[in-house]
Amino acid sequence: MQWPPRVRSVASIAGLVVLAPLLGGCSALYPPNAATDQGADIRNLYTVFLVPMVAIFLLVEGLILWSVIRYRRRKGDEELPVQTHGNNLLEVTWTVLPTLLVLALFFVSWQTLNKVDAESKPELTVDVTGFQWQWTFAYPQYGLSYTGIGDQGPVLVLPVDEVVHVRLHSHDVIHSFYVPDFLFKRDVIPGQVNNFDLTLKDAGVTYSGQCAQLCGMDHYQMRFTVRTMTPADFQAWVQAEQTKTRATPTPPPGGSVAGPTLQLSASNTTNFDQSSLTASAGQPFTVVLTNKTAGAPHNFAIRDSSGKVRFTGLPLAQPGQTVSYAVPALPAGTYTFFCSVHPNMQGTLTVK
Amino acid sequence: MATTVLAPGATRIYQRSALYEWLTTTDHKKIGILYLTNSFLFFLLAGLLALVIRSELAVPGLQFVNSSTYNQLFTMHGTTMIFLVLMPFLAGLGNYAVPLQIGAADMAFPRINALSFWMLPLGGILMFSGFFFGGAAAEGWTSYSPLAQAKYSGSGTDLWIVALLLIGTSSILGSINFLATIFKLRAPGMTLLRMPIFVWTVMVTSLLILLATPVFTSGVFMLYIDRNFGGAFFDPASGGNPILWQNLFWFFGHPEVYILILPAMGVISEVVPVFSRKPIFGYKAFIFATLLIGGLGFSVWAHHMFTTGAVYLPFFSLMTSLIGVPTGIKFFNWIATMWRGKITFATPMLFALGFLTTFLVGGLDGAILASPPVDYALHDTYWIVAHIHFVFFGGTMFGVFAAAYYWFPKMFGARLDEGLGKVHFVLMLIGTWLTFFPMHLLGLEGMPRRIADYSPAAGWTDLNTIATIGSFVIAISVLPFMWNVFVTLRGPRDAGDDPWDAYTLEWATTSPPPPYNFDHLPPIRSERPLFDLKYGHGARRALPAASLATADEGAH
Amino acid sequence: MAAQVQALPAPAHGEQRGIDTALVGMLLFIASEIMFFAGLFGAYFNIRAEHTVWPPQGFELDLGLAAVLTVILVSSSFTMQYAVSRIRKGDRTGMVRAMTVTVILGVVFLLGQAYDYATLGFGISSGVYGTLFFTMTGFHGAHVLGGVIGMSIVLLRGLSGQFSARHHTAVEAVSLYWHFVDVVWIGLFSTLYLLR
């Protein structure tokens, strides 16, 4: 079938317009290659949306540019142009066509949504807890738990090719679990457990993630890393970690590790039982924390007057536990001690 | 001339000091100018905050402020720009133009009008005073709970709440005033379907404010009760629900987006026809689209909450997709208005073209976000920051500047300098794209919003540096505008009544208009009464008659 | 040309067609108030939907007192409407009498609510139910107080003879507001006391 030349040129222009974003020069307009099966679906869907949007962009900008150049008023031209008030056919066309387009896009997007949000029988369940301003990654079926320290946060080790079920918990404010390479985030909301499934594709890769929902002062430092392994390596890693955990002796209850000992206890999640502590400057000391709160872990951490965290005590003291934290020597000054899990629990640490 | 002759004493000006006059005025034109001036001052303030934010982000590392101050900066920048700059800018334009455009002598409730205005600087000062009382609000302009609860935030948040109660009340009273004015004070012949598009957009906007803002007010009261009286609305530990705040906030917050864009669209719909020398293409379709946006605007709020796992995604996704259609209709109408017109490029038209070319991006990158799975990737990243700024800066601010250049001769009787205006436009357009376009790419690369710092290893440095340079270009672009206003106000007031050969009633009176607005009105037989007067009603082609080019025969 | 020029439009404060501008303003204001209470009711139902036991244990309301107060407030709407109908007929004395009764009923309602607050076994900070109860009834009470103040002003103006059959916009406006306050209470009573 022979198309008339005019139609062909229109079609080829339209084709160019549609293909343009797919060309190499526009690759910056794409998110990273997805690390998960779900992310790959999202990336495909992004393309489905991006192409018509870029086409509309070029069409509309082109029409504006054309009107501005073609219909500029020439010098000395005083005559009024034809006073067109409208055109029903045109107006119906540019109402109906966009409606059809957005409906089509909506249905495609709905399909993908069902795939991305689908939950199947997981091979591994991970509990992610976000708190100001750290993460805890726990593997309930293996009895392993990791809470991050420092501005790089904890590492979440995950197997590839297996369905991983992630449960999100918060005890304070809203956070958001976000890994750019997953093309995915989900809010971590107190009083509500959010879930999602993910299936990773490539082993031996690390992905960085961070909190995406403003959660207070150190929100920008609430980072973490995801490391992938083959299922076999992952099982080996789990066994090694379990062995290590068993080998680690439980902290001596109240025993002095270094320097003088300070007693601290917590009976609720609002404040410590002691509101102030005093230590000697330039000398390490030990803080013995007794957690008398039912249902919430605590720890002992120190930040200086500028808000910088100087010490984070780990492991967390689980309910009913007593844990000793060896604190390195601090210069003289006034510090704030707090609980990393409940940063609103604060007291004054005077070092002199 | 059948001009009404006024009593000799009627035009004598009662002598008062200018300051007293401005502080106590109930004249809608003066109040409009007060709104615009106040908004511009807060615009400079919020712009300075933005420059600190951008400087901090230019390269990795905390160079200028700590993270706690940074959170205050973007919170105050966002809140100020939305509640003390864009909303009052548009309210000011509406105040100035709406009574003139419908041929009324003033607003329906002039004293309430003055009250609405004076609540704004008071609210602004309260909000900013937080910086001197242990830190301003720092939870973002969305102020999500529990972060905004007393446990996690300081007294700046209480000041933020009180300020927003004041500003919210101000805009509710303002919207009542606009609606009563438009319903009751239209000149004879000014039927609803002959009102200028700008008046239509102000009317729909006022309806949105009237119905959306009180819900926000109730939410803000609940937050205040939670913080100060041991309430538990948003506290899950005592049986409350943090998602409730998000629902209340966005039930207002999304109509708010249309509150901030519709009047700017109205301005564009005034400017584009005048400078294309054609009527608006599809007047009724335009109104239909405006109403549709207003109506759908109430059914899309949860698209800000796609990642919470607490809303029904398909419904809000569908509604959000559909709301793109009326905006598309408007774009095609504007282009068809220019089509086969005779376009001149005075500064108002340049800003209108800037609006069209830039706001378009904000519409399209938003349409992509209507898809929940894509939103999973892009939500709370710099893509959102890019989107909101293409809409509000590339859209609303360009519309505001188009209006400023367009109505300035009416307000002060003198036209702003075209040369300086073009410098302002070119710099602002370049600055806008340079600042905000790279943010799309940062969002795609995964840079979350509201972070004080990022790692050098993240690979976000180059784009951030570009955005920072762009923000300074925007800042510089405002200088020729300020200089322009300064020199023009010192120069001769020789603009004439109708410098743009425009269509609507405000150009049928003197520049500036007398306190009572009109000595006489042309007959109103279409949405372009002044065009009908100059070129004949229903003219399709006509030569301008020199004797009809101005309508100031009756002016004194 | 001269023939096309019309006289000045009607000034803002003169005689107008249709409904009075001030009443339009009051109706719009009531619309915004409805949305304000819609926010509170929305919060109530949102939080209620999250709880299996509602109201939570230990929250007892005084249904009898509330029922009496409801009767009082609803009757005051009738006396208010009677005041409006009197002034429409130009009967100033009748209006003043009916308005006085309405103000008294409003005050009695407020006193009853104060008694209720003082005798309830919980407060605004005793969990989310207390917060909801006191916030919703409290904001309604504040509106009743506003209505009582508004009616008192209208009453004083009525006593000084400022209203007539033709000029009584303030009476109409305050009656619209009072009916609105009444309707909100019926909504509150049904939600908090009857539906539980």
Side-chain angles (χ1 to χ4, degrees):
Chain A
M1 186 177 160
Q2 186 71 44
W3 292 99
R6 188 150 183 206
V7 173
R8 252 187 306 169
S9 63
V10 168
S12 59
I13 289 171
L16 261 181
V17 161
V18 170
L19 283 176
L22 302 173
L23 299 175
C26 288
S27 64
L29 277 176
Y30 273 87
N33 279 315
T36 60
D37 290 349
Q38 291 81 359
D41 288 334
I42 293 176
R43 200 169 189 275
N44 290 336
L45 182 65
Y46 175 79
T47 308
V48 172
F49 272 76
L50 183 67
V51 169
M53 294 312 151
V54 171
I56 293 171
F57 174 78
L58 294 174
L59 173 76
V60 174
E61 299 284 12
L63 286 172
I64 293 171
L65 204 64
W66 168 258
S67 320
V68 165
I69 294 170
R70 173 68 184 77
Y71 300 115
R72 68 188 188 279
R73 183 175 178 178
R74 268 72 168 184
K75 262 208 165 63
D77 182 359
E78 289 298 316
E79 201 183 340
L80 274 183
V82 178
Q83 300 293 299
T84 321
H85 286 269
N87 180 316
N88 287 343
L89 183 65
L90 262 179
E91 290 172 46
V92 168
T93 311
W94 67 48
T95 308
V96 171
L97 286 184
T99 310
L100 294 178
L101 174 69
V102 298
L103 286 178
L105 287 174
F106 165 71
F107 280 108
V108 178
S109 145
W110 197 358
Q111 303 295 320
T112 309
L113 178 64
N114 288 337
K115 265 166 85 180
V116 171
D117 277 351
E119 292 187 9
S120 48
K121 199 175 171 324
E123 280 129 306
L124 174 68
T125 299
V126 180
D127 278 314
V128 171
T129 307
F131 55 89
Q132 283 180 326
W133 293 278
Q134 265 313 343
W135 301 92
T136 297
F137 297 136
Y139 303 80
Q141 70 216 67
Y142 301 121
L144 295 171
S145 172
Y146 302 88
T147 298
I149 335 165
D151 61 5
Q152 291 313 306
V155 178
L156 176 61
V157 179
L158 292 176
V160 298
D161 299 329
E162 290 184 0
V163 177
V164 179
H165 185 64
V166 181
R167 298 189 296 213
L168 302 169
H169 313 266
S170 166
H171 302 299
D172 48 27
V173 301
I174 301 177
H175 306 275
S176 189
F177 180 88
Y178 175 40
V179 182
D181 289 291
F182 293 0
L183 278 70
F184 188 87
K185 68 178 66 65
R186 180 68 39 102
D187 293 354
V188 184
I189 299 169
Q192 166 184 339
V193 180
N194 275 340
N195 308 280
F196 64 91
D197 280 5
L198 62 90
T199 314
L200 283 153
K201 296 203 286 196
D202 301 316
V205 192
T206 56
Y207 304 107
S208 48
Q210 76 185 95
C211 177
Q213 180 64 264
L214 175 66
C215 57
M217 192 175 74
D218 280 348
H219 161 61
Y220 75 105
Q221 284 192 324
M222 205 171 144
R223 303 192 181 101
F224 61 92
T225 308
V226 178
R227 194 159 80 226
T228 62
M229 291 181 176
T230 61
D233 287 352
F234 179 74
Q235 285 307 327
W237 175 82
V238 166
Q239 301 222 320
E241 289 293 306
Q242 284 174 327
T243 315
K244 212 160 71 183
T245 313
R246 275 185 222 111
T248 311
T250 37
S256 171
V257 177
T261 302
L262 302 172
Q263 295 291 337
L264 187 64
S265 60
S267 318
N268 57 42
T269 58
T270 322
N271 47 272
F272 287 107
D273 297 340
Q274 293 77 16
S275 62
S276 62
L277 295 174
T278 309
S280 307
Q283 189 187 358
F285 58 96
T286 302
V287 172
V288 179
L289 172 64
T290 309
N291 185 357
K292 304 177 192 162
T293 321
H298 293 300
N299 78 337
F300 172 80
I302 301 170
R303 67 165 172 263
D304 61 24
S305 52
S306 73
K308 187 175 165 52
V309 175
R310 302 292 291 258
F311 173 78
T312 303
L314 286 172
L316 301 177
Q318 297 303 324
Q321 260 187 344
T322 299
V323 178
S324 298
Y325 300 112
V327 185
L330 290 167
T334 307
Y335 299 83
T336 302
F337 69 86
F338 62 101
C339 164
S340 303
V341 187
H342 308 97
N344 51 296
M345 298 173 61
Q346 295 183 353
T348 312
L349 171 68
T350 313
V351 179
K352 55 188 180 190
Chain B
M1 294 287 303
T3 308
T4 310
V5 179
L6 293 159
T11 51
R12 197 195 308 137
I13 293 160
Y14 177 56
Q15 286 299 321
R16 282 185 293 199
S17 83
L19 180 68
Y20 186 83
E21 173 64 28
W22 279 95
L23 289 180
T24 58
T25 185
T26 58
D27 179 342
H28 75 96
K29 299 181 289 299
K30 284 211 164 84
I31 292 175
I33 291 167
L34 282 174
Y35 262 105
L36 297 175
T37 312
N38 182 60
S39 306
F40 189 75
L41 292 176
F42 277 108
F43 172 63
L44 294 181
L45 196 54
L48 280 177
L49 300 184
L51 287 183
V52 181
I53 292 170
R54 279 313 325 162
S55 304
E56 183 55 64
L57 289 176
V59 289
L62 289 174
Q63 292 86 10
F64 302 106
V65 292
N66 60 30
S67 61
S68 165
T69 311
Y70 182 87
N71 291 356
Q72 296 172 33
L73 288 176
F74 69 72
T75 301
M76 295 301 284
H77 168 74
T79 315
T80 308
M81 281 303 290
I82 284 172
F83 291 101
L84 290 164
V85 178
L86 296 177
M87 239 173 138
F89 252 139
L90 299 169
L93 292 173
N95 243 294
Y96 191 88
V98 164
L100 285 169
Q101 288 198 321
I102 61 172
D106 203 325
M107 297 282 278
F109 309 110
R111 277 178 292 183
I112 290 179
N113 200 19
L115 176 68
S116 303
F117 167 72
W118 286 106
M119 285 175 164
L120 289 174
L122 184 63
I125 289 166
L126 268 177
M127 203 165 76
F128 272 90
S129 69
F131 280 115
F132 306 103
F133 295 106
E139 294 80 50
W141 83 281
T142 51
S143 203
Y144 277 9
S145 265
L147 185 62
Q149 296 280 315
K151 249 186 197 176
Y152 305 105
S153 55
S155 57
T157 307
D158 286 319
L159 291 164
W160 183 90
I161 289 172
V162 176
L164 285 191
L165 287 175
L166 271 174
I167 297 167
T169 310
S170 154
S171 40
I172 291 169
L173 292 177
S175 70
I176 292 173
N177 221 334
F178 277 125
L179 289 170
T181 307
I182 295 170
F183 290 156
K184 293 298 298 179
L185 300 188
R186 297 193 310 277
M190 179 60 77
T191 59
L192 285 177
L193 284 177
R194 288 179 192 161
M195 295 196 309
I197 300 275
F198 178 70
V199 178
W200 266 103
T201 55
V202 170
M203 186 176 114
V204 174
T205 299
S206 301
L207 276 170
L208 294 180
I209 292 176
L210 187 77
L211 300 178
T213 314
V215 177
F216 176 61
T217 306
S218 74
V220 170
F221 265 122
M222 292 178 211
L223 184 58
Y224 194 81
I225 289 167
D226 269 14
R227 290 176 56 87
N228 296 293
F229 303 115
F233 284 109
F234 311 126
D235 176 12
S238 309
N241 181 2
I243 298 298
L244 170 63
W245 165 263
Q246 299 187 20
N247 276 310
L248 291 169
F249 180 86
W250 288 115
F251 182 83
F252 151 80
H254 202 77
E256 172 72 7
V257 174
Y258 298 105
I259 289 166
L260 293 179
I261 197 66
L262 284 178
M265 288 173 162
V267 168
I268 303 309
S269 311
E270 297 296 304
V271 170
V272 167
V274 166
F275 292 90
S276 306
R277 308 197 76 206
K278 282 179 61 195
I280 185 90
F281 188 94
Y283 174 85
K284 283 182 188 163
F286 209 97
I287 290 165
F288 166 74
T290 305
L291 290 168
L292 202 61
I293 290 178
L296 286 174
F298 279 107
S299 56
V300 299
W301 80 87
H303 69 216
H304 298 269
M305 302 159 59
F306 280 167
T307 60
T308 59
V311 293
Y312 184 63
L313 301 174
F315 171 76
F316 289 104
S317 168
L318 175 63
M319 287 298 159
T320 307
S321 307
L322 286 177
I323 208 164
V325 174
T327 310
I329 295 175
K330 293 187 171 193
F331 260 95
F332 290 119
N333 279 341
W334 286 320
I335 293 169
T337 305
M338 295 194 288
W339 201 263
R340 294 193 180 158
K342 293 189 175 168
I343 304 170
T344 44
F345 299 98
T347 316
M349 184 62 175
L350 289 178
F351 273 96
L353 290 169
F355 174 100
L356 294 182
T357 45
T358 313
F359 173 65
L360 175 66
V361 177
L364 296 173
D365 63 16
I368 290 179
L369 294 171
S371 165
V374 177
D375 189 68
Y376 289 170
L378 298 177
H379 186 64
D380 275 335
T381 68
Y382 260 79
W383 181 284
I384 303 291
V385 183
H387 167 61
I388 197 175
H389 284 94
F390 265 91
V391 171
F392 287 158
F393 203 89
T396 310
M397 275 315 291
F398 273 72
V400 164
F401 278 116
Y405 282 94
Y406 181 62
W407 279 315
F408 195 88
K410 182 52 60 183
M411 292 177 188
F412 301 104
R415 267 173 71 165
L416 287 166
D417 183 75
E418 281 293 314
L420 285 170
K422 288 191 166 86
V423 173
H424 173 200
F425 167 71
V426 170
L427 284 176
M428 189 165 266
L429 189 70
I430 294 172
T432 304
W433 280 77
L434 214 51
T435 310
F436 303 120
F437 196 80
M439 292 182 180
H440 289 112
L441 312 182
L442 284 170
L444 288 167
E445 288 176 14
M447 178 168 169
R449 66 198 282 216
R450 295 171 169 177
I451 54 171
D453 193 17
Y454 50 93
S455 153
W460 302 331
T461 313
D462 293 348
L463 289 168
N464 268 303
T465 310
I466 293 172
T468 302
I469 294 169
S471 69
F472 278 90
V473 176
I474 295 177
I476 291 167
S477 81
V478 181
L479 299 178
F481 173 74
M482 287 161 69
W483 177 247
N484 202 346
V485 171
F486 179 71
V487 291
T488 307
L489 288 180
R490 286 171 60 98
R493 309 290 175 105
D494 54 359
D497 294 355
D498 183 18
W500 310 117
D501 191 12
Y503 303 154
T504 40
L505 287 181
E506 74 269 33
W507 307 102
T509 183
T510 53
S511 302
Y516 45 86
N517 286 352
F518 295 97
D519 282 331
H520 60 265
L521 282 168
I524 300 158
R525 295 191 193 131
S526 74
E527 82 275 13
R528 296 193 295 167
L530 198 58
F531 176 89
D532 297 342
L533 184 70
K534 291 183 285 192
Y535 297 97
H537 178 54
R540 286 180 59 79
R541 279 173 191 280
L543 285 169
S547 60
L548 297 178
T550 53
D552 58 346
E553 301 98 319
H556 34 266
Chain C
M1 180 69 214
Q4 292 181 353
V5 175
Q6 287 175 210
L8 279 167
H13 310 292
E15 288 291 318
Q16 291 153 2
R17 306 147 284 163
I19 178 171
D20 188 275
T21 308
L23 286 186
V24 172
M26 179 51 84
L27 286 172
L28 291 167
F29 177 68
I30 289 173
S32 79
E33 289 278 47
I34 289 173
M35 291 310 289
F36 175 82
F37 279 99
L40 295 179
F41 277 94
Y44 178 86
F45 287 109
N46 178 295
I47 287 172
R48 192 193 156 156
E50 302 257 308
H51 288 74
T52 42
V53 182
W54 194 262
Q57 284 195 329
F59 291 93
E60 288 305 320
L61 298 180
D62 192 342
L63 177 61
L65 176 61
V68 172
L69 293 179
T70 307
V71 171
I72 288 172
L73 205 59
V74 171
S75 337
S76 78
S77 249
F78 285 98
T79 57
M80 170 59 96
Q81 199 52 38
Y82 184 68
V84 173
S85 73
R86 289 327 299 165
I87 197 66
R88 278 182 188 159
K89 295 197 173 83
D91 175 6
R92 283 180 213 160
T93 325
M95 189 280 279
V96 165
R97 280 187 192 143
M99 190 66 85
T100 310
V101 174
T102 316
V103 170
I104 291 169
L105 290 174
V107 171
V108 169
F109 177 88
L110 282 174
L111 292 174
Q113 203 179 21
Y115 175 78
D116 191 27
Y117 277 17
T119 50
L120 277 175
F122 60 93
I124 194 167
S125 54
S126 21
V128 74
Y129 186 81
T131 310
L132 278 166
F133 178 85
F134 280 98
T135 304
M136 294 172 83
T137 55
F139 271 111
H140 176 264
H143 282 75
V144 174
L145 182 63
V148 167
I149 292 171
M151 290 188 302
S152 307
I153 294 169
V154 166
L155 185 58
L156 289 177
R157 289 183 59 190
L159 282 169
S160 65
Q162 291 185 17
F163 301 121
S164 68
R166 291 189 62 185
H167 294 282
H168 56 269
T169 314
V171 185
E172 301 268 1
V174 82
S175 88
L176 285 175
Y177 180 80
W178 192 249
H179 294 322
F180 154 75
V181 169
D182 197 5
V183 169
V184 170
W185 176 255
I186 293 171
L188 279 176
F189 182 69
S190 319
T191 308
L192 294 172
Y193 290 86
L194 301 183
L195 292 173
R196 296 288 278 166

